[in-house]
Amino acid sequence: MIQIFGTNKSFDVKTAQRWFQERRIPFQFVDLKEKEMSRGEFDSVVDSLAREAGGRSAAIEELIDKKSKDYASIAYLDDSDIEDKLFENQLKLMKQPVCRNGKQTATVGLQQKIWETWK
């Protein structure tokens, strides 16, 4: 089952939802305003991104929304502190949408080329 994490106000989240709907690919939308990722879900996303990005810190870097007004609060922290802060402030600091296909594959942002391989 594909999961889309984000908020209803995000244009990119709406685009992702529409992309899956148009292809009749079922998905579950998780509104980060109502329910943030559990630690297990977060770690699963980071692990799958790390396989593609070349390590955990690169995956965390990919997840961070550097345009966020709260980015300054984590910009100068150590990698381990950044990961905890990102987990604690998913709504304010995470780039959207985060799409997850099972526990093995995840994407950040609009990644239609990768989604095309998901069935």
Side-chain angles (χ1 to χ4, degrees), residues 44-104:
S44 169
V45 167
V46 171
D47 290 343
S48 63
L49 289 172
R51 282 192 289 278
E52 296 293 319
R56 199 162 177 89
S57 61
I60 294 295
E61 196 67 27
E62 202 175 315
L63 274 170
I64 296 171
D65 182 2
K66 292 185 175 77
K67 295 177 185 164
S68 163
K69 63 180 185 253
D70 295 298
Y71 175 64
S73 69
I74 63 167
Y76 303 104
L77 296 176
D78 290 341
D79 284 351
S80 59
D81 295 334
I82 287 175
E83 184 172 338
D84 290 338
K85 200 75 151 164
L86 180 62
F87 175 72
E88 293 164 11
N89 298 288
Q90 296 172 32
L91 184 61
K92 294 179 179 178
L93 293 172
M94 199 176 323
K95 202 181 291 179
Q96 297 178 29
V98 174
C99 298
R100 186 168 86 142
N101 185 12
K103 294 185 178 183
Q104 298 304 312

Side-chain angles (χ1 to χ4, degrees), residues 5-10 13-14 29-33 91 96:
F5 295 91
T7 60
N8 282 317
K9 285 190 172 184
S10 167
V13 169
K14 289 179 184 175
F29 173 65
V30 180
D31 190 340
L32 291 174
K33 282 188 175 179
L91 184 61
Q96 297 178 29

Side-chain angles (χ1 to χ4, degrees), residues 9-23:
K9 285 190 172 184
S10 167
F11 177 77
D12 287 348
V13 169
K14 289 179 184 175
T15 301
Q17 289 174 323
R18 189 170 48 253
W19 191 91
F20 286 108
Q21 284 169 342
E22 287 170 355
R23 285 150 187 82

